[in-house]
């Protein structure tokens, strides 16, 4: 899924406090006697009263102390929550939820909170066998499921009557009520096929198989759509390849090309940090890079993020692009060391040592990060990976790295740099994911976490085509320049036709 931030280092504090015990005691007074007439001593009545009241006073004092102790413990706990970093608190909460999930599974309540998917590998899918996700979202209640079933029945009735627009809305509503409703996924997929939306239909069938791998109807439906989807994807890759050839045919000395590549450099830094929440404008970023002076009144952390991205891009361009087929763990750590080195030097260039959480996705345990990264680097240098289409290869590398989430912060920026490194090594220009595409970017990453990475690959392919179109348009006789950095993303969706 593009990175979600877990900044801050753990602070261990054990504030101590002491109480001073109060000494309690009682004395019995002796009354003086006069004469030899027997009488009750003068202070004995007072002593009897004090003796009777003394236990009650002790209990009252003890109760007051207990109440003060409870208040102090509550205040101490609140202070510790404020001092501890958020990931540490979330780790404890998730541990409790995992324990409850395990207890439910042992008691036979059905839902364990763990979704397993043993999917089929296709030309555009990550091998997902053994993929394990802990999805912390509640299941639909029986009442909601009943409402979803009623909506599905109404949708099928509307479809039968030919009222397809109403049927579409009812299908969407049924899945909004119960996203895991397999029958609704199948029926909506059939409806999408009839509407000639093969990609949507195949996605719905894939999700149905994720939830119910042995569902016969979903298996039959997906066997029908899978070859069509692969053909559509390969055709799209062919269009991209033809546009790459046109871009590569532009003379290197073309002044318009040099100008637009320089502009795209600043645009890339602007958008890649803006996706992560950076508020600096394009002009401010240009000022920081060109002058190395700070912008008054702006966050120094945000400005250091820009300097870090500039340093990482220079490292990739001058050191790594020419080394085709030999990406190492050291290279990835060096990229990250520059990305985060100015904003958080303590965490820069080293793997995380704490558990992090990214939306509904829980990345591997810190102890497993090293092993996972070794396997990732082996894959990225393998013949199987290099035989993929460059866009597919780059997108999968991006997704696999951000899935492991090896760093405390800067995972998204590092993953996008690695993706562009692979593209540039294949002769493609570096691409930019615009900040206006942030919601779609995170959505397709979440879909990939659920078992289907093809929507994410198509998203990266769309961004690649947009970049190619921008270069082709900007180098024509009537150059239109780059889209506005702060403008809408409508221009990102425009493509130019290419004769194949």
């Amino acid at each position: 899924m593009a990175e979600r931030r877990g900044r801050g280092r753990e602070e261990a504090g054990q504030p101590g406090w002491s109480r001073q015990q109060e000494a309690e005691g009682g004395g019995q007074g002796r009354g003086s006697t006069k004469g030899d007439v027997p009488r009750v001593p003068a202070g004995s009545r007072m002593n009897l009263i004090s003796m009777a009241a003394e236990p009650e006073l002790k209990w009252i004092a003890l109760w007051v102390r207990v109440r003060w102790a409870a208040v102090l413990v509550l205040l101490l706990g609140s202070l510790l929550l404020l001092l501890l970093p958020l990931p540490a608190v979330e780790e404890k909460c998730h541990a409790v939820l995992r324990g409850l999930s395990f207890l439910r599974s042992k008691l036979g309540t059905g839902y364990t909170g763990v979704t397993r998917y043993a999917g089929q590998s296709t030309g555009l899918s990550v091998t997902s066998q053994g993929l394990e996700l802990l999805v912390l979202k509640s299941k639909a209640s029986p009442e909601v499921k009943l409402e979803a079933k009623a909506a599905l029945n109404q949708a099928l009735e509307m479809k039968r009557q030919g009222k397809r627009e109403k049927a579409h809305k009812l299908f969407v509503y049924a899945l909004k009520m119960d996203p895991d409703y397999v029958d609704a996924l199948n029926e909506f997929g059939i409806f999408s096929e009839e509407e000639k939306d093969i990609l949507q239909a195949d996605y719905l069938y894939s999700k149905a198989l994720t939830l119910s791998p042995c569902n016969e109807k979903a298996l039959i439906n997906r066997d029908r759509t899978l070859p069509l989807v692969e053909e559509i994807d390969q055709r799209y890759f062919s269009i991209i390849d033809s546009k790459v050839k046109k871009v590569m045919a532009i003379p290197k000395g073309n002044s318009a090309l040099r100008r637009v590549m320089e502009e795209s450099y600043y645009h890339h830094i602007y958008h890649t940090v803006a996706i992560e929440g950076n508020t600096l404008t394009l002009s401010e970023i240009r000022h920081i890079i060109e002058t190395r002076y700070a912008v008054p009144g702006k966050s120094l952390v945000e400005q250091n993020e820009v300097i870090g991205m500039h340093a990482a891009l220079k490292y990739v361009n001058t050191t790594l692009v020419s080394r085709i087929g030999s990406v190492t763990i050291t290279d990835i750590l060096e990229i990250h060391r520059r990305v985060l080195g100015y904003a958080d030097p303590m965490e820069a260039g080293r793997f995380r040592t704490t558990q992090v959480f990214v939306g509904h996705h829980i990345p591997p345990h810190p102890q497993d990060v090293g092993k996972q990264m070794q396997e990732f680097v082996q894959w990225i240098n393998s013949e199987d990976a290099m035989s993929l289409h460059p866009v597919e290869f780059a997108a999968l590398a991006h997704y696999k790295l951000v899935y492991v989430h090896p760093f405390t912060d800067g995972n998204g920026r590092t993953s996008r740099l690695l993706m562009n490194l692979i593209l540039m090594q294949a002769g493609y220009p570096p691409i930019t994911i615009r900040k206006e595409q942030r919601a779609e970017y995170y959505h397709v990453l979440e879909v990939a976490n659920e078992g289907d990475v093809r929507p994410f690959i198509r998203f990266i392919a769309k961004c690649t085509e947009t970049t190619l179109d921008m270069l082709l348009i900007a180098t024509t006789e009537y150059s239109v320049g780059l889209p506005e950095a702060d403008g809408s993303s409508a221009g990102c969706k425009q493509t130019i036709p290419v004769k194949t």
Side-chain angles (χ1 to χ4, degrees):
M1 277 182 213
E3 71 198 77
R4 190 150 311 166
R5 298 184 177 196
R7 293 186 175 175
R9 293 174 292 280
E10 293 190 6
E11 300 175 7
Q14 189 77 25
W17 55 276
S18 61
R19 279 188 315 204
Q20 185 177 10
Q21 299 288 346
E22 296 180 3
E24 295 185 75
Q28 291 184 350
R30 296 177 180 266
S32 60
T33 60
K34 292 184 181 180
D36 55 356
V37 180
R39 65 184 183 278
V40 177
S44 64
R45 184 172 299 178
M46 291 296 296
N47 288 339
L48 289 173
I49 294 174
S50 64
M51 288 172 64
E54 187 174 343
E56 183 178 353
L57 291 174
K58 286 184 177 180
W59 281 110
I60 293 173
L62 180 62
W63 174 243
V64 171
R65 288 185 188 133
V66 168
R67 292 185 64 180
W68 275 110
V71 171
L72 288 172
V73 168
L74 182 62
L75 292 175
L76 181 61
S78 302
L79 180 61
L80 286 175
L81 284 177
L82 291 174
L83 292 176
L84 284 174
L86 184 58
V89 178
E90 289 182 347
E91 183 177 358
K92 299 298 182 185
C93 295
H94 281 278
V96 172
L97 289 171
R98 284 196 292 269
L100 291 174
S101 171
F102 176 76
L103 182 60
R104 286 178 190 153
S105 66
K106 291 299 181 184
L107 294 176
T109 54
Y111 173 57
T112 63
V114 178
T115 302
R116 293 179 182 270
Y117 173 67
Q120 301 174 356
S121 178
T122 69
L124 284 179
S125 64
V126 171
T127 302
S128 51
Q129 295 175 354
L131 187 66
E132 203 172 85
L133 300 175
L134 181 61
V135 182
L136 300 174
K137 46 187 177 184
S138 59
K139 295 290 183 179
S141 65
E143 294 80 8
V144 172
K145 288 185 176 181
L146 192 62
E147 185 175 353
K149 186 176 181 180
L152 175 60
N153 291 334
Q154 289 180 345
L156 293 174
E157 179 61 25
M158 292 296 104
K159 174 184 169 183
R160 189 185 64 81
Q161 295 179 12
K163 301 177 180 178
R164 301 190 68 83
E165 187 175 349
K166 288 185 177 180
H168 182 275
K169 292 180 179 179
L170 287 166
F171 279 126
V172 172
Y173 180 74
L175 287 173
K176 185 177 181 181
M177 289 292 100
D178 186 4
D180 298 341
Y181 192 6
V182 174
D183 289 343
L185 290 167
N186 273 319
E187 294 296 339
F188 193 22
I190 294 171
F191 181 86
S192 299
E193 273 192 86
E194 295 169 354
E195 295 290 314
K196 308 301 181 184
D197 192 349
I198 305 299
L199 295 178
Q200 170 81 352
D202 187 74
Y203 163 71
L204 292 167
Y205 299 147
S206 298
K207 185 172 182 181
L209 287 173
T210 302
L211 299 167
S212 179
C214 298
N215 187 280
E216 186 175 354
K217 191 172 185 179
L219 285 169
I220 294 172
N221 289 336
R222 190 162 189 268
D223 285 343
R224 184 176 61 252
T225 58
L226 182 58
L228 300 175
V229 167
E230 290 179 342
E231 183 182 348
I232 291 171
D233 289 331
Q234 293 305 319
R235 194 183 309 141
Y236 192 28
F237 285 154
S238 298
I239 292 173
I240 290 175
D241 289 339
S242 63
K243 291 185 178 182
V244 169
K245 291 178 182 178
K246 286 181 176 292
V247 170
M248 293 180 69
I250 300 173
K252 298 299 181 184
N254 186 292
S255 59
L257 180 63
R258 285 203 312 269
R259 185 176 65 252
V260 75
M261 290 302 293
E262 181 182 351
E263 285 296 317
S264 66
Y265 182 86
Y266 295 110
H267 276 251
H268 178 79
I269 294 177
Y270 167 75
H271 286 288
T272 200
V273 297
I275 285 175
E276 310 299 336
N278 193 298
T279 60
L280 292 171
T281 65
L282 179 62
S283 60
E284 288 170 341
I285 287 174
R286 182 189 288 271
H287 169 81
I288 292 167
I289 294 174
E290 290 180 346
T291 67
R292 304 287 289 189
Y293 283 105
V295 177
K298 289 289 186 174
S299 164
L300 288 178
V301 172
E302 291 188 344
Q303 299 187 56
N304 283 330
E305 288 176 349
V306 169
I307 296 173
M309 275 302 302
H310 175 55
L313 278 168
K314 286 205 310 185
Y315 174 71
V316 168
N317 289 331
T318 59
T319 306
L320 299 182
V321 171
S322 58
R323 282 172 35 201
I324 299 175
S326 60
V327 177
T328 66
I329 288 182
T330 302
D331 295 333
I332 297 173
L333 290 174
E334 285 298 313
I335 293 174
H336 183 262
R337 186 171 69 84
R338 287 162 174 79
V339 166
L340 213 63
Y342 296 88
D344 190 358
M346 294 297 293
E347 295 292 339
R350 71 186 190 96
F351 295 142
R352 59 181 167 86
T353 56
T354 57
Q355 182 64 57
V356 294
F357 304 90
V358 188
H360 295 141
H361 170 54
I362 299 183
H365 191 274
Q367 294 178 353
D368 299 328
V369 168
K371 179 183 176 184
Q372 296 265 359
M373 289 301 295
Q374 288 283 358
E375 294 176 354
F376 171 68
V377 168
Q378 288 176 6
W379 173 82
I380 208 172
N381 294 316
S382 67
E383 291 184 5
D384 290 341
M386 293 185 186
S387 64
L388 298 170
H389 188 278
V391 173
E392 183 179 359
F393 180 22
L396 288 177
H398 178 311
Y399 170 67
K400 284 175 177 283
L401 183 58
V402 84
Y403 178 86
V404 177
H405 221 76
F407 308 110
T408 302
D409 190 18
N411 294 277
R413 282 164 282 172
T414 304
S415 297
R416 291 189 286 276
L417 283 168
L418 180 64
M419 173 184 69
N420 275 321
L421 169 62
I422 293 171
L423 288 172
M424 287 188 289
Q425 286 179 340
Y428 283 64
I431 70 170
T432 298
I433 301 174
R434 296 173 63 86
K435 71 170 186 175
E436 296 85 6
Q437 298 171 295
R438 184 175 187 262
E440 183 182 2
Y441 174 49
Y442 286 163
H443 171 69
V444 290
L445 278 173
E446 186 173 353
V447 170
N449 285 339
E450 293 174 355
D452 189 359
V453 78
R454 293 170 306 164
F456 179 69
I457 296 172
R458 294 186 193 111
F459 172 78
I460 298 300
K462 181 179 71 173
C463 293
T464 304
E465 187 183 19
T466 299
T467 299
L468 293 168
D469 289 342
M470 178 264 297
L471 292 174
L472 290 172
I473 294 172
T475 53
T476 57
E477 185 177 357
Y478 303 101
S479 174
V480 294
L482 292 175
E484 289 296 326
D486 299 318
S488 66
S489 60
C492 298
K493 298 180 181 178
Q494 297 177 354
T495 59
I496 58 178
V498 171
K499 296 180 180 179
T500 57

